[in-house]
Structure formats: C-alpha cells, structure tokens
Amino acid sequence: MSDNKKIEQDEEEEVQYLDPTVNKVPNYEASELAFLLTQEKLQPLHKDALEKLMALVEEEEMAPYYKYLCEEYVPQGVLTFDGSLFDKLSEKNQTKVTELKKRITEIEENDEGELERAQAWITLGEYYAQIGDRVNAQETLEKALEKAISTGAKIDVMLTITRLGFFYNDQLFVKEKLAQTNAMIEKGGDWERRNRYKTYKGIHCLAVRDFKEAANLLVDSLATFTSVELTSYENIATYASVAGLFALERTDLKSKVVDSPELLSLINTTPALQSISSLTISLYTSDYASYFPFLLETYDKVLLPSKYLNSHADYFVREMRRKVYAQLLESYKTLSLKSMASAFGVSVEFLDKDLGKFIPNRQLNCVIDRVNGIVETNRPDNKNAQYSLLVKQGDGLLTKLQKYGAAVRLTGSDRL
C-alpha cells in the first residue's frame, strides 16, 4: 500500500471513530419495563411488561441485570429467578467478554494504534453496559475514557457512562457525570453532541423536579432530537409537554406546546401525549369542566408509569390544581364557592377543603368567606409592589456608594 493511500485510510478511520454510531446501551426499554413491575398500582400492566422484559433480557444476554432484578429490584413474587436461564446467559457473557479481552490484548501486543486500542476498550465497556454489569461497565468505560484521543470521543464515552445512571435512575450519579460532560463540551463539543447533552440534561432536570429548566431544554430538543440511545422521541415529546404545562406562562405554552408542529405530529400515535395534550388544551382554553378528568387521566397514564415522573406525580397534580384555581380567580374580584365548584364539576365541600391547602401559605391570593359562601381575591397591588422594589434597590445602591466612599477615603484617593 502506498504512503498516500495509507494516510487516506488512517484519516477515514479517524473520522469514523470520532463520529461513531451511538449504541443503545444499556437498553433503556428494559429499565422502563422493570420499573413498571415495581409499582403495585400498575398491576394491570405487569403481565405484558414482564413478557417484554424477559424477551429483552434474553436478547441482550443480560445475566447480571436479571440477577439484580430478581434479588434487589423487583418485589418477590412478581419475577421468579430461573437458574437455568441465568446460567445460559452467564455462559454467553463469559464467552463474549473473553473474546473482547483477547482482542484488546492482541491490539496492545501488536501496537495497532491508539484509535483501535480505545475502540476495543469502548466495545468491552459497552458490552458490560448492555448486559447490566454496572460496576465493570463503569470501570471499563473510564479506562476507555483515558485512552480516547479526541474530545468528541471522550464526550461519547462520558455520555455512555451517564446512561448507566439513567438506566438505574441514579440521579446523583447522573448529575455528577453531566457536569463532567459539560466541561468537555465547553472545550470542543460539536453541534450534535451539544444537542444530545441538552436532552440528557433535560431528562435529569425532569427527574429531580426542576420542571422550569426541564421545559426550556426539552421543548428546544424537540426539533433537534437524536438521543435515541437514551429514550424515544415519543417519550421526549411527552416529557416536554409535562414540563411545559407545569412551568411555561400562557403565551409560551401556546407557541411552544399547544401549537408545536413536533407535538401535533405525534398526538394521534402516542396515547400518553394525547392525555397531557388534552389537559394542556383544557387549561389554555379555560375548559374547566374537563380539566380535572384530564388531570386524573394524566396521573394514571402519564405520571405513574414513568420512572422519571412517578415520584413527582402527587406534587404535579397538586400544583396543577393550584395553577388552574389561580387562573380562574384572576378574572374575578369575588366568586361564589358554588359557581366555582360548578365550573370544575366538584362539590363545594371538596373545593373549600382544597382551596384551604393553598391559601395559608399564600400560594393563592384569596380568602374564603364561608358565611357568605364566596371567595375574595386579594391580589397584591402592582404599584405598591413596584414602589417596594424601588425602595429596596435604592437602599442597595446607597449601601454600595457608602462602601465605595469609605474605600476611597482609606486609600487617600480623595486627596488627589
């Protein structure tokens, strides 16, 4: 082979390595199905979820993950340990790992090159991740990270390590790895990797109940989504809708969620998105009669089955009740409890009790006059609020000026 052809081949191999195909490891579908099995409230979904999960366990040769599920994660009785299946999968794992380690040894002994060495370590690490061997996957991928020669390759490896945290829903781990990934991206991440990071960060924010930041990131991700190794586009659309409904103001909700072409294109084929979209439209159009039924539907079909949203389900429902009460009360100085209850299709007793959860801590600016059966709004006066802000800012400015004057006197600069 001529020197020129050898150089061209090396360049092609480097380009291929710098922009590799992102493998779906670990398989997020297995994690989501396993989560359903841990939820007693979702028992009607267990049979189908178990069948799909076991099919994935066999297909992906997930012996370590299968053992973890049976011993630590899924409640006893829901999933029964099959020793023969475990032994069969373990044998396949051992054969594959031996083969991949042999390949690493050959590359290092023959000094085949840094790119080949790094890729061999990545392949081994990804196989550990695929079968659910978290400890070996992390250790091996961290070794691969040391051997990777480009910033882009390092980012890809770090995102794979981060997916281990998502797979086990370990958000503290995810937070740590995302911070490291962001530091790498700032040094030279390309457009695609920045978009992938945005999606990862958005899901993490959703999982830790930072709905405002999640809405900003996930809504933006809709038009540029490529992170199919982390979740599906349908899931991202649903997550963006949930976060957007919770955090966005009315005008942004209209432009970014209600009229989003990406979301509209998926509504007919995505049941979870249908539920959250119906809830969003009922809030935006002030269709209060259908709001609570759609809120309950969202709770059952969107929040509870999601491993990222399940723990926030009650909080989300509570805050969405507060949000819709505040929206209705904005239009009135006083409103009878009876007419307000009628608008939502609930009893006066329920509404009275529910409003009482938000009024004492001023989450709703109103008071209940039970004698006359009315709700009186007491929104803060805008002029008073502006005046208070002006006084506060003025005090801050005077304090800074006084400190500056004192510093000048100490240095003697006032005598110049």
Side-chain angles (χ1 to χ4, degrees):
M1 182 183 295
S2 67
D3 291 341
N4 288 338
K5 287 186 177 180
K6 181 67 169 64
I7 292 173
E8 289 176 1
Q9 181 179 338
D10 289 343
E11 288 177 347
E12 288 176 0
E13 289 177 352
E14 183 170 358
V15 170
Q16 183 179 3
Y17 177 72
L18 293 178
D19 275 313
T21 300
V22 180
N23 295 318
K24 188 179 176 180
V25 293
N27 191 329
Y28 67 83
E29 293 180 26
S31 176
E32 292 178 352
L33 290 167
F35 172 77
L36 296 178
L37 298 179
T38 67
Q39 302 300 305
E40 188 175 348
K41 291 181 180 180
L42 302 175
Q43 197 166 9
L45 304 177
H46 284 187
K47 182 179 178 180
D48 184 57
L50 182 57
E51 290 177 358
K52 291 179 178 177
L53 176 60
M54 292 310 300
L56 278 176
V57 165
E58 291 200 55
E59 180 184 344
E60 304 280 350
E61 304 173 357
M62 304 176 76
Y65 188 61
Y66 177 57
K67 185 177 182 181
Y68 161 78
L69 292 178
C70 293
E71 295 182 355
E72 300 181 42
Y73 191 61
V74 177
Q76 291 184 352
V78 179
L79 179 60
T80 305
F81 183 74
D82 183 341
S84 60
L85 172 63
F86 176 75
D87 291 341
K88 181 180 73 171
L89 296 176
S90 294
E91 185 178 347
K92 290 183 178 180
N93 294 163
Q94 188 58 49
T95 301
K96 185 67 174 179
V97 168
T98 301
E99 175 188 323
L100 293 174
K101 286 184 175 179
K102 181 180 178 181
R103 175 57 181 155
I104 290 174
T105 302
E106 290 175 353
I107 289 173
E108 292 181 343
E109 288 178 351
N110 298 331
D111 195 20
E112 295 185 21
E114 293 179 338
L115 292 177
E116 290 77 7
R117 184 183 299 113
Q119 188 57 57
W121 279 100
I122 290 173
T123 302
L124 177 60
E126 287 188 342
Y127 183 71
Y128 279 132
Q130 173 189 313
I131 64 178
D133 188 341
R134 181 178 180 180
V135 174
N136 278 323
Q138 184 177 343
E139 290 178 354
T140 306
L141 289 168
E142 285 175 350
K143 289 180 181 177
L145 192 63
E146 296 172 1
K147 299 177 185 299
I149 63 172
S150 71
T151 301
K154 290 178 185 292
I155 292 170
D156 290 334
V157 174
M158 184 56 72
L159 288 176
T160 303
I161 294 173
T162 305
R163 290 200 300 279
L164 293 172
F166 280 113
F167 188 77
Y168 292 95
N169 207 13
D170 183 350
Q171 295 303 324
L172 285 176
F173 179 87
V174 170
K175 180 181 179 181
E176 176 188 342
K177 300 308 173 185
L178 283 177
Q180 295 175 23
T181 304
N182 186 51
M184 293 179 181
I185 287 175
E186 292 303 315
K187 292 180 181 179
D190 59 23
W191 179 83
E192 182 179 354
R193 289 182 174 96
R194 287 176 182 272
N195 282 330
R196 286 173 58 206
Y197 169 80
K198 185 189 296 184
T199 302
Y200 282 54
K201 179 73 172 179
I203 293 180
H204 169 67
C205 288
L206 191 75
V208 298
R209 201 182 285 184
D210 186 355
F211 288 111
K212 184 175 182 180
E213 184 65 12
N216 293 333
L217 293 168
L218 295 177
V219 170
D220 285 347
S221 295
L222 289 173
T224 58
F225 177 77
T226 58
S227 303
V228 293
E229 75 281 0
L230 178 63
T231 192
S232 67
Y233 189 52
E234 290 78 8
N235 282 344
I236 282 294
T238 302
Y239 298 155
S241 297
V242 170
L245 174 59
F246 186 96
L248 296 179
E249 297 297 330
R250 190 178 179 86
T251 53
D252 287 336
L253 186 64
K254 170 70 170 173
S255 62
K256 295 182 178 181
V257 176
V258 175
D259 292 338
S260 167
E262 291 84 10
L263 296 178
L264 291 173
S265 67
L266 293 173
I267 285 181
N268 292 332
T269 58
T270 311
L273 191 57
Q274 292 172 8
S275 299
I276 189 65
S277 295
S278 297
L279 178 63
T280 303
I281 292 171
S282 67
L283 178 68
Y284 182 77
T285 61
S286 302
D287 181 10
Y288 300 124
S290 65
Y291 185 82
F292 280 174
F294 284 135
L295 184 58
L296 291 174
E297 182 180 312
T298 297
Y299 181 83
D300 291 333
K301 296 183 178 181
V302 180
L303 305 178
L304 290 184
S306 170
K307 72 174 183 177
Y308 299 124
L309 292 168
N310 180 279
S311 61
H312 312 308
D314 292 337
Y315 171 78
F316 180 90
V317 169
R318 180 183 185 277
E319 287 303 299
M320 292 312 300
R321 295 202 313 272
R322 183 198 61 78
K323 188 170 186 175
V324 77
Y325 292 150
Q327 179 172 298
L328 176 59
L329 290 171
E330 277 181 2
S331 304
Y332 299 93
K333 179 65 177 175
T334 61
L335 185 65
S336 73
L337 278 169
K338 185 175 181 180
S339 63
M340 189 173 177
S342 178
F344 288 110
V346 298
S347 67
V348 172
E349 291 75 17
F350 171 84
L351 182 64
D352 186 359
K353 184 177 179 181
D354 208 30
L355 289 173
K357 297 175 183 177
F358 304 108
I359 294 174
N361 54 12
R362 297 186 178 182
Q363 290 183 305
L364 285 177
N365 294 311
C366 65
V367 294
I368 300 176
D369 181 350
R370 289 186 174 87
V371 176
N372 296 308
I374 60 174
V375 180
E376 297 181 4
T377 59
N378 54 0
R379 291 185 294 275
D381 182 61
N382 286 336
K383 289 185 178 180
N384 288 337
Q386 291 172 0
Y387 177 76
S388 298
L389 180 62
L390 179 62
V391 171
K392 183 178 180 180
Q393 291 176 339
D395 287 342
L397 179 60
L398 286 173
T399 300
K400 289 181 180 179
L401 288 172
Q402 288 170 354
K403 288 181 179 179
Y404 176 74
V408 168
R409 286 192 295 273
L410 284 173
T411 60
S413 299
D414 57 334
R415 299 172 187 169
L416 298 178

